mmCIF file of all heavy atoms in Angstrom:
data_model
loop_
_atom_site.group_PDB
_atom_site.id
_atom_site.type_symbol
_atom_site.label_atom_id
_atom_site.label_comp_id
_atom_site.label_asym_id
_atom_site.label_seq_id
_atom_site.Cartn_x
_atom_site.Cartn_y
_atom_site.Cartn_z
ATOM 1 N N VAL A 1 44.414 -166.000 120.157
ATOM 2 C CA VAL A 1 44.040 -166.544 118.864
ATOM 3 C C VAL A 1 44.833 -165.821 117.783
ATOM 4 O O VAL A 1 44.851 -164.591 117.723
ATOM 5 C CB VAL A 1 42.535 -166.389 118.605
ATOM 6 C CG1 VAL A 1 42.173 -166.930 117.229
ATOM 7 C CG2 VAL A 1 41.743 -167.110 119.683
ATOM 8 N N GLN A 2 45.478 -166.601 116.928
ATOM 9 C CA GLN A 2 46.193 -166.055 115.787
ATOM 10 C C GLN A 2 45.328 -166.213 114.541
ATOM 11 O O GLN A 2 44.786 -167.293 114.286
ATOM 12 C CB GLN A 2 47.526 -166.766 115.591
ATOM 13 C CG GLN A 2 48.423 -166.772 116.822
ATOM 14 C CD GLN A 2 48.906 -165.400 117.194
ATOM 15 O OE1 GLN A 2 49.155 -164.563 116.314
ATOM 16 N NE2 GLN A 2 49.061 -165.155 118.481
ATOM 17 N N LEU A 3 45.212 -165.152 113.756
ATOM 18 C CA LEU A 3 44.343 -165.135 112.586
ATOM 19 C C LEU A 3 45.133 -164.720 111.353
ATOM 20 O O LEU A 3 45.877 -163.743 111.393
ATOM 21 C CB LEU A 3 43.178 -164.168 112.792
ATOM 22 C CG LEU A 3 42.308 -164.407 114.030
ATOM 23 C CD1 LEU A 3 41.337 -163.247 114.218
ATOM 24 C CD2 LEU A 3 41.545 -165.716 113.889
ATOM 25 N N VAL A 4 44.939 -165.457 110.268
ATOM 26 C CA VAL A 4 45.616 -165.167 109.010
ATOM 27 C C VAL A 4 44.595 -165.183 107.889
ATOM 28 O O VAL A 4 44.008 -166.223 107.599
ATOM 29 C CB VAL A 4 46.737 -166.171 108.718
ATOM 30 C CG1 VAL A 4 47.417 -165.824 107.395
ATOM 31 C CG2 VAL A 4 47.762 -166.180 109.844
ATOM 32 N N GLU A 5 44.397 -164.025 107.240
ATOM 33 C CA GLU A 5 43.468 -163.917 106.123
ATOM 34 C C GLU A 5 44.168 -164.239 104.809
ATOM 35 O O GLU A 5 45.374 -164.037 104.661
ATOM 36 C CB GLU A 5 42.868 -162.510 106.028
ATOM 37 C CG GLU A 5 42.129 -162.051 107.265
ATOM 38 C CD GLU A 5 42.974 -161.151 108.137
ATOM 39 O OE1 GLU A 5 44.222 -161.313 108.120
ATOM 40 O OE2 GLU A 5 42.409 -160.282 108.825
ATOM 41 N N SER A 6 43.377 -164.695 103.845
ATOM 42 C CA SER A 6 43.870 -164.936 102.503
ATOM 43 C C SER A 6 42.704 -164.845 101.536
ATOM 44 O O SER A 6 41.541 -164.890 101.933
ATOM 45 C CB SER A 6 44.556 -166.296 102.392
ATOM 46 O OG SER A 6 43.646 -167.347 102.664
ATOM 47 N N GLY A 7 43.012 -164.726 100.252
ATOM 48 C CA GLY A 7 41.992 -164.735 99.214
ATOM 49 C C GLY A 7 41.696 -163.398 98.581
ATOM 50 O O GLY A 7 40.930 -163.332 97.617
ATOM 51 N N GLY A 8 42.275 -162.329 99.086
ATOM 52 C CA GLY A 8 42.038 -161.022 98.498
ATOM 53 C C GLY A 8 42.699 -160.885 97.145
ATOM 54 O O GLY A 8 43.547 -161.691 96.760
ATOM 55 N N GLY A 9 42.294 -159.857 96.415
ATOM 56 C CA GLY A 9 42.862 -159.622 95.105
ATOM 57 C C GLY A 9 42.049 -158.629 94.318
ATOM 58 O O GLY A 9 41.183 -157.938 94.852
ATOM 59 N N LEU A 10 42.330 -158.559 93.017
ATOM 60 C CA LEU A 10 41.642 -157.661 92.098
ATOM 61 C C LEU A 10 40.534 -158.418 91.384
ATOM 62 O O LEU A 10 40.772 -159.499 90.844
ATOM 63 C CB LEU A 10 42.631 -157.091 91.086
ATOM 64 C CG LEU A 10 42.067 -156.198 89.978
ATOM 65 C CD1 LEU A 10 41.459 -154.933 90.574
ATOM 66 C CD2 LEU A 10 43.150 -155.862 88.973
ATOM 67 N N VAL A 11 39.336 -157.840 91.375
ATOM 68 C CA VAL A 11 38.191 -158.473 90.743
ATOM 69 C C VAL A 11 37.330 -157.407 90.087
ATOM 70 O O VAL A 11 37.253 -156.277 90.569
ATOM 71 C CB VAL A 11 37.378 -159.294 91.772
ATOM 72 C CG1 VAL A 11 36.826 -158.381 92.862
ATOM 73 C CG2 VAL A 11 36.266 -160.071 91.097
ATOM 74 N N GLN A 12 36.698 -157.749 88.977
ATOM 75 C CA GLN A 12 35.803 -156.821 88.297
ATOM 76 C C GLN A 12 34.482 -156.701 89.033
ATOM 77 O O GLN A 12 34.053 -157.628 89.727
ATOM 78 C CB GLN A 12 35.549 -157.274 86.860
ATOM 79 C CG GLN A 12 36.747 -157.158 85.940
ATOM 80 C CD GLN A 12 36.405 -157.462 84.494
ATOM 81 O OE1 GLN A 12 35.367 -158.045 84.204
ATOM 82 N NE2 GLN A 12 37.273 -157.058 83.586
ATOM 83 N N ALA A 13 33.840 -155.557 88.885
ATOM 84 C CA ALA A 13 32.534 -155.346 89.494
ATOM 85 C C ALA A 13 31.564 -156.440 89.065
ATOM 86 O O ALA A 13 31.510 -156.812 87.897
ATOM 87 C CB ALA A 13 31.993 -153.975 89.124
ATOM 88 N N GLY A 14 30.806 -156.934 90.032
ATOM 89 C CA GLY A 14 29.858 -158.002 89.777
ATOM 90 C C GLY A 14 30.408 -159.382 90.016
ATOM 91 O O GLY A 14 29.636 -160.345 90.108
ATOM 92 N N GLY A 15 31.711 -159.493 90.132
ATOM 93 C CA GLY A 15 32.331 -160.784 90.285
ATOM 94 C C GLY A 15 32.324 -161.286 91.706
ATOM 95 O O GLY A 15 32.043 -160.546 92.651
ATOM 96 N N PRO A 16 32.664 -162.559 91.876
ATOM 97 C CA PRO A 16 32.751 -163.164 93.196
ATOM 98 C C PRO A 16 34.183 -163.225 93.708
ATOM 99 O O PRO A 16 35.140 -163.168 92.936
ATOM 100 C CB PRO A 16 32.210 -164.572 92.962
ATOM 101 C CG PRO A 16 32.712 -164.912 91.592
ATOM 102 C CD PRO A 16 32.746 -163.596 90.820
ATOM 103 N N LEU A 17 34.297 -163.364 94.996
ATOM 104 C CA LEU A 17 35.583 -163.544 95.646
ATOM 105 C C LEU A 17 35.340 -164.230 96.978
ATOM 106 O O LEU A 17 34.338 -163.961 97.647
ATOM 107 C CB LEU A 17 36.273 -162.199 95.848
ATOM 108 C CG LEU A 17 37.780 -162.211 96.127
ATOM 109 C CD1 LEU A 17 38.542 -162.706 94.904
ATOM 110 C CD2 LEU A 17 38.258 -160.822 96.507
ATOM 111 N N THR A 18 36.245 -165.097 97.362
ATOM 112 C CA THR A 18 36.137 -165.802 98.628
ATOM 113 C C THR A 18 37.339 -165.497 99.498
ATOM 114 O O THR A 18 38.486 -165.663 99.071
ATOM 115 C CB THR A 18 36.039 -167.321 98.410
ATOM 116 O OG1 THR A 18 34.891 -167.623 97.616
ATOM 117 C CG2 THR A 18 35.894 -168.036 99.747
ATOM 118 N N LEU A 19 37.085 -165.055 100.708
ATOM 119 C CA LEU A 19 38.128 -164.784 101.682
ATOM 120 C C LEU A 19 38.127 -165.874 102.741
ATOM 121 O O LEU A 19 37.069 -166.357 103.144
ATOM 122 C CB LEU A 19 37.916 -163.428 102.347
ATOM 123 C CG LEU A 19 37.763 -162.213 101.431
ATOM 124 C CD1 LEU A 19 37.609 -160.946 102.264
ATOM 125 C CD2 LEU A 19 38.942 -162.096 100.487
ATOM 126 N N SER A 20 39.308 -166.243 103.185
ATOM 127 C CA SER A 20 39.459 -167.246 104.228
ATOM 128 C C SER A 20 40.236 -166.669 105.392
ATOM 129 O O SER A 20 41.090 -165.800 105.216
ATOM 130 C CB SER A 20 40.183 -168.487 103.696
ATOM 131 O OG SER A 20 39.465 -169.090 102.649
ATOM 132 N N CYS A 21 39.942 -167.167 106.565
ATOM 133 C CA CYS A 21 40.639 -166.758 107.774
ATOM 134 C C CYS A 21 40.935 -168.000 108.591
ATOM 135 O O CYS A 21 40.020 -168.643 109.118
ATOM 136 C CB CYS A 21 39.795 -165.773 108.572
ATOM 137 S SG CYS A 21 40.484 -165.317 110.177
ATOM 138 N N ALA A 22 42.198 -168.332 108.698
ATOM 139 C CA ALA A 22 42.626 -169.498 109.459
ATOM 140 C C ALA A 22 43.001 -169.072 110.872
ATOM 141 O O ALA A 22 43.809 -168.159 111.057
ATOM 142 C CB ALA A 22 43.809 -170.172 108.781
ATOM 143 N N ALA A 23 42.412 -169.735 111.852
ATOM 144 C CA ALA A 23 42.647 -169.423 113.252
ATOM 145 C C ALA A 23 43.482 -170.511 113.898
ATOM 146 O O ALA A 23 43.308 -171.698 113.621
ATOM 147 C CB ALA A 23 41.327 -169.270 114.005
ATOM 148 N N SER A 24 44.369 -170.104 114.764
ATOM 149 C CA SER A 24 45.192 -171.055 115.498
ATOM 150 C C SER A 24 45.430 -170.541 116.909
ATOM 151 O O SER A 24 45.240 -169.363 117.198
ATOM 152 C CB SER A 24 46.517 -171.301 114.781
ATOM 153 O OG SER A 24 47.287 -170.114 114.696
ATOM 154 N N GLY A 25 45.841 -171.442 117.776
ATOM 155 C CA GLY A 25 46.072 -171.096 119.161
ATOM 156 C C GLY A 25 45.421 -172.106 120.084
ATOM 157 O O GLY A 25 44.509 -172.830 119.683
ATOM 158 N N ARG A 26 45.879 -172.134 121.300
ATOM 159 C CA ARG A 26 45.375 -173.116 122.256
ATOM 160 C C ARG A 26 43.989 -172.761 122.769
ATOM 161 O O ARG A 26 43.251 -173.639 123.221
ATOM 162 C CB ARG A 26 46.361 -173.251 123.416
ATOM 163 C CG ARG A 26 47.751 -173.702 122.989
ATOM 164 C CD ARG A 26 48.646 -173.928 124.172
ATOM 165 N NE ARG A 26 48.226 -175.089 124.944
ATOM 166 C CZ ARG A 26 48.872 -175.543 126.015
ATOM 167 N NH1 ARG A 26 49.971 -174.932 126.425
ATOM 168 N NH2 ARG A 26 48.422 -176.605 126.653
ATOM 169 N N THR A 27 43.611 -171.497 122.719
ATOM 170 C CA THR A 27 42.293 -171.044 123.131
ATOM 171 C C THR A 27 41.586 -170.384 121.966
ATOM 172 O O THR A 27 42.154 -169.496 121.327
ATOM 173 C CB THR A 27 42.393 -170.054 124.295
ATOM 174 O OG1 THR A 27 43.068 -170.666 125.394
ATOM 175 C CG2 THR A 27 41.006 -169.624 124.754
ATOM 176 N N PHE A 28 40.362 -170.814 121.700
ATOM 177 C CA PHE A 28 39.608 -170.249 120.596
ATOM 178 C C PHE A 28 38.502 -169.336 121.116
ATOM 179 O O PHE A 28 38.154 -169.349 122.293
ATOM 180 C CB PHE A 28 39.023 -171.353 119.724
ATOM 181 C CG PHE A 28 38.810 -170.954 118.296
ATOM 182 C CD1 PHE A 28 39.513 -169.903 117.726
ATOM 183 C CD2 PHE A 28 37.891 -171.631 117.508
ATOM 184 C CE1 PHE A 28 39.316 -169.536 116.411
ATOM 185 C CE2 PHE A 28 37.685 -171.280 116.182
ATOM 186 C CZ PHE A 28 38.401 -170.231 115.637
ATOM 187 N N SER A 29 37.950 -168.562 120.214
ATOM 188 C CA SER A 29 36.963 -167.555 120.560
ATOM 189 C C SER A 29 35.552 -168.119 120.486
ATOM 190 O O SER A 29 35.329 -169.221 119.986
ATOM 191 C CB SER A 29 37.100 -166.359 119.627
ATOM 192 O OG SER A 29 36.886 -166.769 118.282
ATOM 193 N N ARG A 30 34.578 -167.337 120.975
ATOM 194 C CA ARG A 30 33.180 -167.717 120.884
ATOM 195 C C ARG A 30 32.585 -167.358 119.531
ATOM 196 O O ARG A 30 31.615 -167.985 119.107
ATOM 197 C CB ARG A 30 32.378 -167.052 121.994
ATOM 198 C CG ARG A 30 32.757 -167.509 123.390
ATOM 199 C CD ARG A 30 31.959 -166.772 124.431
ATOM 200 N NE ARG A 30 32.324 -167.181 125.783
ATOM 201 C CZ ARG A 30 31.848 -166.635 126.874
ATOM 202 N NH1 ARG A 30 30.972 -165.632 126.796
ATOM 203 N NH2 ARG A 30 32.242 -167.071 128.057
ATOM 204 N N TYR A 31 33.159 -166.359 118.874
ATOM 205 C CA TYR A 31 32.645 -165.935 117.589
ATOM 206 C C TYR A 31 33.764 -165.319 116.770
ATOM 207 O O TYR A 31 34.809 -164.927 117.292
ATOM 208 C CB TYR A 31 31.493 -164.929 117.749
ATOM 209 C CG TYR A 31 31.797 -163.781 118.681
ATOM 210 C CD1 TYR A 31 32.505 -162.676 118.237
ATOM 211 C CD2 TYR A 31 31.367 -163.815 120.003
ATOM 212 C CE1 TYR A 31 32.787 -161.631 119.097
ATOM 213 C CE2 TYR A 31 31.641 -162.777 120.859
ATOM 214 C CZ TYR A 31 32.349 -161.687 120.407
ATOM 215 O OH TYR A 31 32.627 -160.644 121.264
#
């Protein structure tokens, strides 16, 4: 399984942020 994260950055305390992880490959994981 190949995994690529995105969405990180600089944010002020109290703020929101969303991280994504795209998975690819012929076989996927259980979790």
Side-chain angles (χ1 to χ4, degrees):
V1 178
Q2 306 294 325
L3 304 171
V4 180
E5 302 99 331
S6 62
L10 176 64
V11 62
Q12 291 187 343
L17 198 67
T18 300
L19 306 182
S20 299
C21 174
S24 63
R26 300 185 69 178
T27 302
F28 207 22
S29 60
R30 295 178 181 175
Y31 50 82

